[in-house]
Amino acid sequence: MEKPPRNNLRTKKVSTYLSQRELDEVRKKVANSTCRGLSEYSWKLLMGAPVTVYYRNKSFDEFVAEGVRIRREIKQLLEKDGLSKESEERLLLLIGQISHNLNNLTDHVRKNKNKQKHQSNTSV
């Protein structure tokens, strides 16, 4: 690996004083970004470089939690002997359809996330 030119070495330090509340707020922002640490995050902000940030979608989190609950209930139903063969087959068919729809939804979310990431990186 080549060494960077000597005039590009980062040898100067910038210090900033923050209150504990401000530092906690900045650390939360760093944690929700792709930056490995506070130094990298700060450098990008100071230099005007793009910072990729992850956003949580609360409604999607609730949707996933509901899916987990439904899966547990279905598993409990299948473990009981109270279902007829026809009901069990219908339930398995519905599980397959739900799984297929969730995979489509996941693919859609990934495509949009990649599209947004690409747009944020090129919009500088």
Side-chain angles (χ1 to χ4, degrees):
M1 190 162 83
E2 282 186 40
K3 289 185 177 181
R6 215 159 156 70
N7 59 353
N8 286 343
L9 292 177
R10 295 182 184 141
T11 59
K12 303 302 177 199
K13 180 179 176 180
V14 176
S15 297
T16 304
Y17 289 95
L18 300 172
S19 70
Q20 187 61 49
R21 184 187 57 78
E22 291 168 333
L23 181 60
D24 292 342
E25 191 176 316
V26 172
R27 284 187 175 150
K28 283 181 189 174
K29 290 179 180 182
V30 171
N32 288 327
S33 75
T34 58
C35 296
R36 291 172 293 201
L38 180 59
S39 180
E40 180 183 358
Y41 181 82
S42 301
W43 182 87
K44 285 186 173 188
L45 290 179
L46 286 169
M47 301 309 294
V51 175
T52 304
V53 179
Y54 298 117
Y55 291 97
R56 297 287 303 192
N57 183 334
K58 187 176 179 184
S59 61
F60 186 73
D61 290 345
E62 291 169 358
F63 173 75
V64 170
E66 182 68 13
V68 169
R69 187 186 64 76
I70 291 170
R71 186 180 66 203
R72 284 185 191 140
E73 287 184 29
I74 290 171
K75 191 174 181 181
Q76 288 174 352
L77 284 173
L78 290 173
E79 290 172 354
K80 292 182 181 179
D81 293 330
L83 288 179
S84 68
K85 187 68 176 168
E86 184 179 297
S87 294
E88 187 175 329
E89 288 174 5
R90 176 74 178 134
L91 186 57
L92 289 172
L93 176 68
L94 290 172
I95 291 170
Q97 290 173 347
I98 291 169
S99 179
H100 176 73
N101 289 337
L102 287 174
N103 287 333
N104 287 341
L105 179 62
T106 301
D107 290 342
H108 178 73
V109 168
R110 282 189 185 135
K111 285 177 188 175
N112 283 338
K113 184 184 285 187
N114 288 337
K115 188 186 300 182
Q116 288 174 350
K117 186 176 182 179
H118 178 71
Q119 288 173 348
S120 69
N121 288 337
T122 59
S123 64
V124 175

